[in-house]
Amino acid sequence: MASTQKLIMDPGHGSAQAPVSSGDLDKKIYGQIQGEKFGQVLAGPMSGRVTSDVPDDNVSAPTLTARFKEFTIGRKSLPSLRGATSRGAGSTANPDPTSSSTPGKHVDPETAFRERFLLQLDPSQPLKERIHSLKAASKEVELYSVDTLMAIWAVAEDFAEATASTDVRLVGYDLLLVSVCHSGLDLDERLKFFDMISIPLPTVHANLQILALERLTQKGQQLSPFESQLPFFLDNLLDHVFEAAVQARYRHKRQRSLRSHDPIGEEVSLMNLLTLVDSIVKRNPDTYRDEDLAILVDRMHSIFIRTTATDDINRALAIFERLITFPSFPLNRVARCVDVLCVLISAPTFVSECPTRCLHVMLTGRLRHVTLDTLLGFLHTREEGKPDVRIGAFSTLDHVLVMNGANNFPVIPLQSLLLAFKSVWRSSRASTLDCLRIVGRLLHDDQINYRLLGEDWTIIETTLDEFAKLANETDSADETVIEFRSLVTSSSPLDRYFSYPWSRLLTDDPEIQNRLRCLPSAFEGLWDGLNEEQKWSVINICFILEPFVDDDLWEPVVQFMADEDLLCPPNENWARHLEVLVYLVVLKPSRTESARCRVLQEIKDVRASVHDDQESVSFFDHIALQILDFLAAEPKTQMLSVLAEFITDYALYANMEVFNNVLETFSQSIGVKMIPEFSVWTTLPSEAISIFTTCLVQLFRQCLPLSALKTSKIYEILVSIAASSTIPNKARLIAIKLLSRLRCNPNRAVKVVPVPDSQGLAATLCRTEASAQTQPTSHQTNRVSFNEESQIVRTGRSSAIGSSRSDRSRSATRSASGRERLPRPTPPLWMYGSSKGLTDDLPAETGSVVYVSTDKLVSGCTLNISGWMDTINDILLKGDDWEIYSYLLVHLPSQLSNTMMFDGDAPHIQTLHTLIISQLQTGRVYSPPTTTGMKQGDVALCLLQTLTILVSYRERFTKKQLDETVRAFLTSMEKWDGARKCCIHALALCSHELPYHIDKFLDGVVQKMSQIITQSHLAIDILEFLGGLVRLPDAYRSAKPMLFRTIFGICKEYLKNSRAERQKQKGMSSSRTSYVPTRYSNTIVEIANSAEPNNMNDGQNDLPEYVFALAYHVITFWFLAIDIQERSSHVGWISKNLGYQDDQGNEIMEEQSQVTLDMMHRTAYSDLGETMTSPNFQDQGNKILKKTWLVGMSIVTVEIFKDSGFTQITKRQASGTTHIIFHQQTAPLPSHHVQPRGSVSSYSSVGGIDILPNHVLLQLSSTITPMPIPLQPIILPDDDSTRRAISVFDRNDTVDGHKAGVIYISEAQSSESEILANTTGSALYEDFLTGLGTKVSLQNAKFNTQGLDREVNSDGTHTYAWRDRVTEIVFHVTTMMPTDLKHDPQCVNKKRHIGNDFVNIIFNDSGLPFDMETFKSQFNYVNIIITPDSMAVTRRLNTKSDGPLGQSSIRRGKTKEKQTDIQPCFKVQTVCFPSFPQISPAATPKVVSASTLPGFVRQLALNASVFSLVWSNREGGEHVSSWRNRLRAIAKLRERFANTGVSANVSYPDMGTAEDRGGARSYLEGDDWKGTLMMGGLAEEKQMHLSLDFTRWT
């Protein structure tokens, strides 16, 4: 350190300071100079220091500290100097006056300054004094002229000589730094000073040279006259200064004690010098000639190579950025420049944009071609230690490639670029990544890749090939690698690409893998534009980079191989190519699904096209088995499904060996054995097991019409899956879905239905979208999956078989706060309508190759249905997971409705029957998990529906079992509140199917119904049940009088409730027009709605008028059902309850009550039915004497035949008309009798006695007892008006008329026109019509044909009709109507009738579900769909039947010897249009036997018609029956003729004035006269029922 330090003597103290380094000294001197300059700026140009002419040795120069203070606060201001006239004065000074020795005498300051310092600086003076004086002069010389300055330098020139010591030269630099700034210097003087600066100094003081040069050149602006010498000087100075900086940095790094942020003097010098060079180049670019420019570039390149300082690089870059714009930039220096710039671009810690700008300038200017060649050349160079250059080159070329000639950038020749890549491809990881990046850009950039279409792609191919080989050289061999070279011959275009170990990745570097993975994805977009050779290159690249080829590329690759006939004969290697694709694509889990699927599809296509020779079959079997062995290892669920489906499709037509292998693999993967006695465990996830089960289901469906043996094997596995508790529920559910959809025809041929009809029950358990959305929030949020409820399910099982009945409400599951605390719900495993495991396009019928069998010893071509029944009974007995149990509950009734399938398995059917009845009666019903929101009652409801279906198997049950069936429905009405509606509907069916068993329990049934009449939502169901029951005499043959009284009591209560509801609705009549019903139509959810009794929206809530009408109908029907000897005993009780009191206490008798009373009046003592008029009184003209009276609420006409004296009395009442022949037996006159007087012409003389109609009426209706005027008959005038009124009255039917369409749909029919064109139906259809009614002629029909023509047979000659004493229904049978397809191809005439019928009966023999949109009409409210148990039933019985419906039978084998005749069964269901309430007991499908079908359907049609009539009038008023119309007509006549004077009581009811009446009181309707006037008569006050009870006096 001694050589770099010196002692600085402080003259003022005479002592030595601490040693200071040369660098620090330079900093201090430089700072002092700058500080002086800064102080001058602060103090102003006149500041300065006045010194005496004589040097004062006692005055020492100020220390650095004093100087710093001086620079900071400035010197004291001095007076201005005047008289500075010399050349080039630097400043005008005004020295202190005290400097003059003689006061008042003017002394020139400059002269004094010059003389004083010339003396003091004289070389003869001591050096120490000269140094001191030079320092003092340096501080003031700038104030004076150049002459003075140069005079000073003349005596101090030795301070700047090269021979002077460094310390002396440093003092001289004090004066030099001030001198070069003088503004008056001429060229010679400037050159002299430059020469002084050029004299070398130690590098530690180089900053003084730099500072002096900066001042001399004015920061590079003024270079004259030394511009030619300057480049050489600067280069040498740069060399020395940079070396000094490098060494200083090294020393600084070694000196740990120094703070890292302290600046180094040498670094400061270098920075200042580079800044000065940059300024010179910028302001005087002509300074550097060609050779000088090359030297400067070399110097900068040297600095770049050696420096580690960012500041050095940035300042050198600034110089570079200017140099490259010079037109004379040497071309031989471009490489060095590009080299540096590429290195800087690749440096991760260098963030400046300057290198990139420099290269962009070079690539867009004169140097662009040389620069581009240089960049490409860097890639060709394989020099070690050059990776950074290549990285920068790659980055730059990438940008040039993107520009693609834009903005004056050069266009890169792609071949040159690709060849360059080949050279540098694997030189380093960075190079590899860069190459892959640029190749990726070439392929992906739409602005560039079009250029590739004209290039030779073999370069890319061979480059990647080399990369693959290099990768394989670095990897160890894999013993499991398959060498595909052995699989192909040399004639294959792919021969040279099958020697690589494809089972290994080309590299383990994830970033390189990502880059490689991006390359092939671009080929798809370019594929269509490639020529054949390029496509081959792409295919080869795919095999080279096969781990990275995605699905978008493999598809066109495989397609191209197929188009080139590489995958099929006659190519000799087609099988090997396919096998290669299987190994490289299909069996690679990393492959995308679409690529693997494309190869599988190609295999399918090739297999379909080749001949089934032994070699081909063996090959495809080999491929299938390879894929089969791989299945368990497939990690992707979706792809596993595809592979399994491929195997499934292959197994369909495979030989039994392959087929058995497939089944064995599938069953083991699922966890079952093909032999049920053995079990096996599986480790596959639940989703994979579900996939295998789904494939088994699909294979079963496909094998069903083809192979009985294969189908039966799959069936056994599916039954094992359904029965196994160790298999995941999802897989079990898939198997159960198929098994529950199995059906068969009468030949026992098996088929699969697409969607079972179970939507209603699914809604009960909230397993439909609609019911799930409308379910209460507490239910919706309480769904759990089978995984979450395993513990709950165990509880459910135990409660289902061992716990007591628990029918608690949902609120019982809530906590004290009212909020349920339940596990977080998950979606259920199944919802109605889901076809997972099945397809939606299932055929309606299958080939008869597989049959149902109940014999366990029979195998091969049959399905042992007993195995499935065992599973069903086991699940219902022991309980199971709720998802499994609920699905079986919902879908079992639909399957059991196919009686053809199970009626041969009587033991299991009886077991199921006993199990269900036991659970229902004991209350040991499965308890659903609380998280589902379901109750035991919901489960009971489903069980009851199953029990209802089992009624159709009545021939398989004993009488005791059938009794238990009815008893179960009866007890369930009491035990399960939500199931009462279902029980009533079931009992309605039993009344048809099991009438004698209903008769046993009828008292209990009616009694129970009387107990639940307070539940308004059951009103319609109870009344319809009673209304239908009364038409089945066998069902109440043992009825006792009290039963009838109970039924009348039920009706009384419903009338009471209906009146209240109707009154309530009248008060809300203003809102009736906005009524929008909220019930379902096409969706059968009546059972689901019944689960919530208090939230019903049935017809009884919508239209109380229907309940009102039904109640009166039931009274009428059951009154007529009573034996005639007992009827009168019920009249008084019924009459008492027909009337009621209004709010004011008035006794009211409604019209319907009046006609009911009228009906009892006519039928209480007579069962003769209707009467007819005598032919003798027709068309007799004047021979008849006729008079008509209004007698009470009847019209009485008396007709007397003049010739015979016979009298016909016609009594017209609301409920009917009675004709009576009356003849007075007049005795012969005794001989002594006086001859009578002559007769009047208007009289009829009979036996000598005259008689008038009035006499007949008087004799029958009156005595001399006074008759109250209101009760006296009203005579009607014999005029046209009266006759017309009576004629209109007679046209009102005495029964309620209804109509219903009957439509037959033949096999496979679906359109309206082809259905209406049917003129005949099946034998079962014809038998059904026979039982539905009586075939009647339409020609001149005397009954109401409901619009059918009765004159010209335009609607056919006959139809079917049915009638009892109260109701008549006419059927519009389309097959009996004329069909003229030539003139009426759309059958408009038929549509005219059925389109206006509220109710249509559809006999659906099509084998297809009926579509409500088939017949579009706004009036078809209800369709009653009848579907035979199987289409085969109808087709088999299309031959002549043995008798009426019910006698037609099918002979089925039950045992080896025994044969049993079984009636065919039908599924009956009512389906309504939108907004129409679903109130029918057949809203959920019912299975009905052939013998009871007509009566059951007719009753449905009658009820639906009545309701439709009420419904259609809901907006405009109530529906008025024919009896009420007749009653109104009578009342209208009374109103019209009571005051006309045509009668003897001319003043009734107003008899004129009091004088005219002799003071008698006038009586009007409603006036009191020992009672109340009503109904044309007089009722005792508060004793109306006694007045109405005619049996009291009859």
Side-chain angles (χ1 to χ4, degrees), residues 1476-1487:
F1476 193 85
Q1478 187 65 257
I1479 59 175
S1480 170
T1484 52
K1486 298 294 185 293
V1487 178

Side-chain angles (χ1 to χ4, degrees), residues 1106-1309:
Y1106 182 53
V1107 179
F1108 186 74
L1110 272 181
Y1112 280 111
H1113 275 68
V1114 172
I1115 293 174
T1116 301
F1117 298 148
W1118 281 97
F1119 182 80
L1120 294 175
I1122 303 172
D1123 290 341
I1124 192 170
Q1125 295 85 358
E1126 302 292 336
R1127 284 181 194 167
S1128 60
S1129 63
H1130 294 274
V1131 172
W1133 192 92
I1134 295 175
S1135 301
K1136 181 180 179 180
N1137 293 283
L1138 288 178
Y1140 71 97
Q1141 289 185 346
D1142 61 12
D1143 295 339
Q1144 288 75 35
N1146 300 320
E1147 292 182 316
I1148 305 298
M1149 181 66 71
E1150 299 163 313
E1151 286 183 352
Q1152 192 67 43
S1153 299
Q1154 294 179 43
V1155 298
T1156 302
L1157 186 64
D1158 186 83
M1159 177 273 302
M1160 293 191 297
H1161 191 276
R1162 292 185 62 250
T1163 60
Y1165 301 104
S1166 172
D1167 264 339
L1168 295 178
E1170 297 184 8
T1171 60
M1172 65 179 182
T1173 183
S1174 173
N1176 296 327
F1177 287 85
Q1178 296 178 4
D1179 302 326
Q1180 295 298 323
N1182 295 329
K1183 294 181 180 182
I1184 301 297
L1185 291 177
K1186 180 190 295 186
K1187 277 192 178 296
T1188 303
W1189 292 265
L1190 290 172
V1191 181
M1193 296 305 293
S1194 67
I1195 304 173
V1196 178
T1197 300
V1198 178
E1199 299 174 277
I1200 299 177
F1201 193 58
K1202 294 179 181 181
D1203 294 340
S1204 63
F1206 280 90
T1207 301
Q1208 177 175 268
I1209 302 172
T1210 302
K1211 185 178 183 181
R1212 295 176 174 89
Q1213 295 175 246
S1215 61
T1217 300
T1218 304
H1219 299 277
I1220 304 172
I1221 298 298
F1222 174 82
H1223 181 66
Q1224 181 174 329
Q1225 296 294 331
T1226 305
L1229 293 176
S1231 59
H1232 60 277
H1233 195 286
V1234 178
Q1235 185 67 26
R1237 295 177 59 187
S1239 62
V1240 183
S1241 60
S1242 61
Y1243 286 28
S1244 177
S1245 179
V1246 180
I1249 298 178
D1250 297 331
I1251 184 172
L1252 294 174
N1254 310 63
H1255 170 76
V1256 176
L1257 178 67
L1258 189 61
Q1259 294 304 313
L1260 296 177
S1261 63
S1262 179
T1263 68
I1264 63 172
T1265 302
M1267 180 181 291
I1269 293 176
L1271 301 184
Q1272 295 175 3
I1274 302 173
I1275 190 171
L1276 297 180
D1278 186 14
D1279 56 15
D1280 291 340
S1281 176
T1282 302
R1283 286 190 290 271
R1284 187 165 51 252
I1286 294 176
S1287 176
V1288 172
F1289 180 89
D1290 288 339
R1291 284 197 295 272
N1292 277 318
D1293 292 332
T1294 57
V1295 293
D1296 283 335
H1298 300 276
K1299 60 181 179 177
V1302 180
I1303 304 170
Y1304 177 76
I1305 305 178
S1306 186
E1307 182 179 359
Q1309 289 182 340

Side-chain angles (χ1 to χ4, degrees), residues 271-283:
M271 287 187 292
N272 291 334
L273 180 56
L274 289 174
T275 302
L276 178 60
V277 172
D278 179 53
S279 180
I280 293 172
V281 172
K282 175 183 177 181
R283 295 172 177 174

Side-chain angles (χ1 to χ4, degrees), residues 279 288 397 516 777 799 1134 1180 1244 1305 1394 1413 1455 1512 1545:
S279 180
Y288 285 88
L397 289 172
L516 287 173
T777 304
S799 64
I1134 295 175
Q1180 295 298 323
S1244 177
I1305 305 178
I1394 67 166
E1413 296 297 324
T1455 62
S1512 62
N1545 55 347

Side-chain angles (χ1 to χ4, degrees), residues 541-772:
I541 291 173
C542 289
F543 282 97
I544 294 172
L545 302 179
E546 61 87 15
F548 310 115
V549 178
D550 56 18
D551 55 337
D552 293 334
L553 184 57
W554 276 112
E555 290 186 29
V557 166
V558 175
Q559 185 63 48
F560 182 75
M561 293 179 68
D563 294 341
E564 293 295 319
D565 296 330
L566 296 179
L567 304 178
C568 63
N571 187 284
E572 59 181 353
N573 295 302
W574 68 270
R576 299 309 184 187
H577 291 161
L578 280 178
E579 190 171 7
V580 168
L581 290 178
V582 169
Y583 278 107
L584 294 183
V585 181
V586 177
L587 301 185
K588 292 284 188 177
S590 60
R591 291 287 181 267
T592 55
E593 295 173 7
S594 59
R596 301 169 76 185
C597 293
R598 182 66 183 86
V599 177
L600 291 175
Q601 185 60 46
E602 191 63 34
I603 295 174
K604 292 180 182 179
D605 295 341
V606 175
R607 182 191 177 197
S609 64
V610 299
H611 299 292
D612 290 336
D613 56 88
Q614 184 61 37
E615 184 178 356
S616 299
V617 171
S618 299
F619 168 74
F620 285 114
D621 287 347
H622 171 70
I623 291 292
L625 292 176
Q626 291 293 327
I627 297 176
L628 184 65
D629 293 339
F630 173 74
L631 285 180
E634 174 57 51
K636 297 180 180 178
T637 301
Q638 185 65 30
M639 196 61 216
L640 176 62
S641 177
V642 174
L643 293 173
E645 289 180 6
F646 174 83
I647 294 299
T648 301
D649 294 340
Y650 187 84
L652 179 63
Y653 298 100
N655 56 50
M656 288 306 299
E657 180 182 359
V658 175
F659 183 83
N660 288 333
N661 283 336
V662 171
L663 291 190
E664 183 67 26
T665 300
F666 281 13
S667 59
Q668 288 183 0
S669 299
I670 294 171
V672 296
K673 276 286 187 180
M674 293 179 64
I675 303 176
E677 286 73 12
F678 296 94
S679 61
V680 65
W681 292 94
T682 179
T683 59
L684 290 180
S686 172
E687 195 64 32
I689 296 175
S690 299
I691 290 172
F692 287 118
T693 307
T694 301
C695 289
L696 284 175
V697 169
Q698 298 292 351
L699 188 57
F700 176 91
R701 185 187 68 81
Q702 295 169 354
C703 290
L704 190 59
L706 301 176
S707 173
L709 181 59
K710 290 182 178 180
T711 305
S712 62
K713 286 179 175 290
I714 302 171
Y715 170 79
E716 295 298 332
I717 297 177
L718 291 175
V719 171
S720 299
I721 294 172
S724 175
S725 60
T726 61
I727 294 176
N729 289 333
K730 187 175 181 181
R732 293 180 63 196
L733 202 57
I734 293 172
I736 292 175
K737 281 184 179 182
L738 173 78
L739 295 173
S740 64
R741 298 185 186 190
L742 294 180
R743 304 290 188 271
C744 73
N745 58 28
N747 297 325
R748 298 187 181 277
V750 177
K751 63 179 180 179
V752 179
V753 295
V755 180
D757 189 5
S758 306
Q759 188 169 2
L761 284 178
T764 302
L765 302 183
C766 295
R767 291 305 177 106
T768 63
E769 292 185 3
S771 61

